Amino acid sequence: MHTIQIETMALPRRRPRKTRLCWRLSFTIMFLMICVFHSVCAYFTPFGTKGLRHSHTGLSASTNGDGNSRKSGSSDPEAGKGDPPRFKRLARKMSSKSFSFNQIPGRKRAADSSDSPDRSNTARMRPSPPSSSPSSFHEPRGSGPISEAVGQHLTPEAAAPPEIFDVDARPNSQKARKVASSQSQGKGHREEGLEEDNGAGGWQRPSRVQQRREKRQQAAMDEKMRRVKIQRFGKEGLLFKDGLAGGQAGGGRDDALQCEHFGACSGCFYRSGLVETPVMENARVFFQRVARYDNFSLGLATGVHGWRTQAKLAVAPLSKWGGCQLGLYEEGSHRVLPIPNCRVHHPSINRAVQVLTEATVTMKTRAFDPASLGGSLRYVQVAVERRTGRIQLTLVWNAPGKKEAGGELSRLLKALKAADASGELWHSIWVNFRTGPGNTIFAREARSWTKLFGADFLTEKIGPSQTLFYLTPQLFRQGNLDGFEKLVTRAQEFVPAQSVVCELYGGGGVIGLNMLGKAAALRFSDINPYLGQCVDKTLQALPAKKREKVSFIIATALEALEAGHADGATVLIVDPPRKGLESEVLAHLVDRKDPYAGTLRRIVYVSCGFEALKRDAVALMDSGWRLVHAEGFVLFPGSDHLETLAVFDRTR
Ligand SMILES: C[S@@+](CC[C@H](N)C(=O)[O-])C[C@H]1O[C@@H](n2cnc3c(N)ncnc32)[C@H](O)[C@@H]1O
């Protein structure tokens, strides 16, 4: 009876068999369509999360990586190059349901979102954030892969920083290392926290067929990215490219600046007529009419492209979820304009900036915010070692010290190292801890400098004598070293043989030490306290015969003068900062009977600030010094800047 009743009651609710089949069929078709749509989107999104993971730097965006690439591991040859296996495995582990990660309060959501392959796909499929976000983060002109990736594909959940990614900060880091090493021997995958990857509760080694398929998919993806990059940036990647607007306007002339950033970037003002800028015209008029020197000439010291071997760059947020963009302030504003294809930069600088930018995106490094004084990365200094093309990188970090900088800094460092597995890019990486408001780039205290990795000194052979100089990032370094060498070579001609030379504002001795072939003795000085160890190394590398001629002190120019450094000297070399000679120093020089500067017969004045040179030259010429040589060196083509060599002889 019961059975009959139930059947009778159920019968009216049951739909006809045909309808049920229809429903099932429609559901299956819909499901298949969704799957196809997902894979098509994932495939045709070149700079999506997968794109970032497998960009040529080999960085891995662990929180957003999809299941396939996790399983395939080293299927991407480039990524394999960039990511040391342990780094990659730990990245995966941190993005998985690892014990420590989920126990961090407030991080569960982020952990969850990266746990599930479905979710990471959802992240990729989400619409772009509201248009206010990218514009307020100032989308770069000719925006590259990174801006697109951040602007369109990362969601707040997906981009939330995995706070304890820092391996060394992890309580179970030793265990992680053990697991990593056992995995490298082909065992212990299960311990790695990859269980959730197959969605079935237990990790299984992918079959060979599967592995091969994933490898093929990855290769296809890489090839697609390569083609898109070439299409956008030319074969040289983000570096030099031809046929730009700048080049057309410059009429293809060798002495015309051909840079796509020209106009927006505040770095260069002149595209052509690079030796006819207002300061240069001013110099011509001054030397001819005021100084009565008819032989003044000026010219480009080097070619107009690729000469800059040191750059300091500003940092701005790329998105509110982390990542930084590096560049110069846009013309007339304080907005940072990325200049990835800057033509005056040495190619290594552009490469380093690209790698660093990508690393900040991957590791969600926050840019410093001057309004709230929050964030981390404030400025960046990039110096090239010309011989090797490697970079001495300095990160100016908004924290009192390494401890306070915490995991965010070590994560970035790891990513930078991972991106340069071959060791061809980084010479060394330094950090300068600088807190508080203000535009000063570096904190000066000794404790604010830390070398994170690499060699202590960058070495450069500079000048006609090819003296080997040892340089650390705290030192002043000429932006255009090739051009400056020309100036030094010329200056050497004005040092008479066997003269006793005093050099003030001498830096590491770039000018003075190049005079040792002619000079009987050299005393040089500079205010920078960091010079001690560099000058020591430089002097040690000199032949003993030359080394014996040299003495160096750390002192202001005035202190050095008053300590008797110019006593008995006949030649004085000065290369002051832009503001020129201090009035007290000048006062010693203009006094014929000065006890400290009375023996001087010649001043070799190297100037990087023409207005100050005019002032000092007038004061010197008014007091018995005669201008015997003046020559302009355009060291920064495109800017209204002149480096001048002026030689004065005492007449009375
Ligand atoms: C334009 S750089 C020239 C450095 C050097 N000639 C070179 O090419 O490397 C000016 C130098 O003056 C130093 N300086 C600045 N103010 C100074 C002062 N009051 N007394 C002595 N040196 C000073 C700086 O440390 C810097 O090294």
Side-chain angles (χ1 to χ4, degrees), residues 476 478 484 505-507 510-511 526-528 555-557 575-577 582 608:
F476 170 84
Q478 299 287 347
F484 196 72
Y505 311 94
V510 170
I511 305 176
D526 193 281
I527 196 174
N528 188 340
T556 67
D575 182 7
E582 286 129 304
C608 58

Side-chain angles (χ1 to χ4, degrees), residues 160-286:
E163 289 290 356
I164 55 154
F165 192 84
D166 177 19
V167 181
D168 299 325
R170 283 158 43 95
N172 55 350
S173 64
Q174 227 174 359
K175 186 182 157 205
R177 267 193 283 272
K178 220 164 130 188
V179 173
S181 81
S182 63
Q183 200 218 6
S184 69
Q185 292 155 23
K187 55 186 178 181
H189 289 73
R190 182 178 277 276
E191 291 171 76
E192 277 229 271
L194 291 172
E195 288 82 356
E196 69 280 11
D197 271 7
N198 68 356
W203 189 85
Q204 285 165 10
R205 187 187 292 277
S207 70
R208 291 208 166 191
V209 179
Q210 234 176 329
Q211 282 178 2
R212 257 183 255 134
R213 196 178 52 227
E214 283 159 5
K215 222 171 180 169
R216 269 201 308 275
Q217 281 172 354
Q218 195 52 61
M221 166 70 105
D222 288 347
E223 176 56 20
K224 186 169 173 52
M225 279 192 60
R226 198 181 64 81
R227 267 188 272 127
V228 172
K229 276 192 173 174
I230 288 177
Q231 209 178 343
R232 286 182 168 228
F233 305 113
K235 277 199 173 157
E236 309 251 338
L238 284 176
L239 302 182
F240 294 176
K241 94 182 184 184
D242 296 317
L244 304 169
Q248 283 145 19
R253 284 165 45 183
D254 285 348
D255 61 348
L257 192 62
Q258 301 177 26
C259 183
E260 67 175 280
H261 305 298
F262 186 85
C265 170
S266 57
C268 298
F269 292 94
Y270 302 95
R271 181 178 274 155
S272 53
L274 304 177
V275 293
E276 287 139 28
T277 70
V279 162
M280 295 165 202
E281 288 307 323
N282 192 346
R284 285 191 183 94
V285 171
F286 172 80

Side-chain angles (χ1 to χ4, degrees), residues 462 471 474-478 481 484 488 503-512 525-529 531 555-560 573-580 582 585 606-608 643:
I462 307 175
L471 310 168
Q474 301 96 335
L475 267 55
F476 170 84
R477 194 188 134 127
Q478 299 287 347
L481 259 185
F484 196 72
V488 175
E503 185 182 15
L504 304 176
Y505 311 94
V510 170
I511 305 176
S525 59
D526 193 281
I527 196 174
N528 188 340
L531 275 164
T556 67
L558 185 62
E559 285 166 355
I573 300 173
V574 289
D575 182 7
R578 210 166 274 214
K579 65 181 186 215
E582 286 129 304
V585 173
V606 177
S607 155
C608 58
E643 197 86 5

Side-chain angles (χ1 to χ4, degrees), residues 303-583:
V304 295
H305 298 131
W307 50 263
R308 185 174 273 289
T309 47
Q310 169 155 303
K312 293 188 182 81
L313 299 172
V315 177
L318 192 55
S319 88
K320 62 183 167 190
W321 305 297
C324 304
Q325 58 187 2
L326 316 175
L328 293 181
Y329 290 120
E330 214 170 326
E331 194 48 57
S333 85
H334 261 83
R335 285 198 316 196
V336 172
L337 176 83
I339 44 170
N341 303 316
C342 172
R343 297 276 330 251
V344 307
H345 280 171
H346 186 287
S348 293
I349 294 184
N350 288 350
R351 170 99 183 96
V353 168
Q354 182 191 351
V355 169
L356 176 57
T357 307
E358 292 186 5
T360 65
V361 172
T362 313
M363 293 301 156
K364 281 98 187 170
T365 306
R366 296 161 304 142
F368 173 67
D369 172 23
S372 65
L373 299 185
S376 303
L377 190 57
R378 296 178 77 125
Y379 291 100
V380 165
Q381 176 175 273
V382 194
V384 185
E385 186 174 56
R386 289 179 300 172
R387 188 171 37 88
T388 59
R390 291 191 305 158
I391 295 289
Q392 185 188 60
L393 176 73
T394 306
L395 309 166
V396 182
W397 204 265
N398 184 39
K402 203 171 172 185
K403 208 170 125 204
E404 292 83 355
E408 195 178 0
L409 178 59
S410 32
R411 278 198 298 276
L412 182 62
L413 177 67
K414 282 193 176 81
L416 290 173
K417 284 200 215 168
D420 181 33
S422 60
E424 282 166 7
L425 182 59
W426 305 125
H427 168 276
S428 51
I429 300 183
W430 291 70
V431 63
N432 177 259
F433 294 107
R434 152 106 167 82
T435 53
N439 291 334
T440 314
I441 296 183
F442 296 117
R444 292 284 165 204
E445 306 81 41
R447 65 188 153 77
S448 50
W449 289 93
T450 305
K451 191 191 73 186
L452 298 176
F453 113 95
D456 288 349
F457 302 94
L458 186 147
T459 53
E460 283 287 354
K461 282 188 176 168
I462 307 175
S465 68
Q466 287 291 283
T467 303
L468 185 67
F469 288 90
Y470 287 77
L471 310 168
T472 57
Q474 301 96 335
L475 267 55
F476 170 84
R477 194 188 134 127
Q478 299 287 347
N480 182 349
L481 259 185
D482 291 348
F484 196 72
E485 283 184 317
K486 302 238 167 83
L487 188 153
V488 175
T489 307
R490 176 72 82 202
Q492 194 193 32
E493 293 173 19
F494 294 93
V495 173
Q498 294 309 309
S499 47
V500 175
V501 178
C502 168
E503 185 182 15
L504 304 176
Y505 311 94
V510 170
I511 305 176
L513 293 179
N514 267 295
M515 309 298 160
L516 284 180
K518 291 175 98 182
L522 169 73
R523 302 171 202 148
F524 77 106
S525 59
D526 193 281
I527 196 174
N528 188 340
Y530 295 101
L531 275 164
Q533 46 169 350
C534 298
V535 173
D536 266 0
K537 292 282 290 180
T538 303
L539 295 184
Q540 275 166 30
L542 281 177
K545 241 172 125 183
K546 282 189 172 178
R547 191 169 53 235
E548 283 159 11
K549 296 182 183 179
V550 184
S551 70
F552 168 73
I553 55 167
I554 291 171
T556 67
L558 185 62
E559 285 166 355
L561 262 186
E562 295 184 350
H565 243 216
D567 207 9
T570 50
V571 176
L572 177 73
I573 300 173
V574 289
D575 182 7
R578 210 166 274 214
K579 65 181 186 215
L581 300 176
E582 286 129 304
S583 52

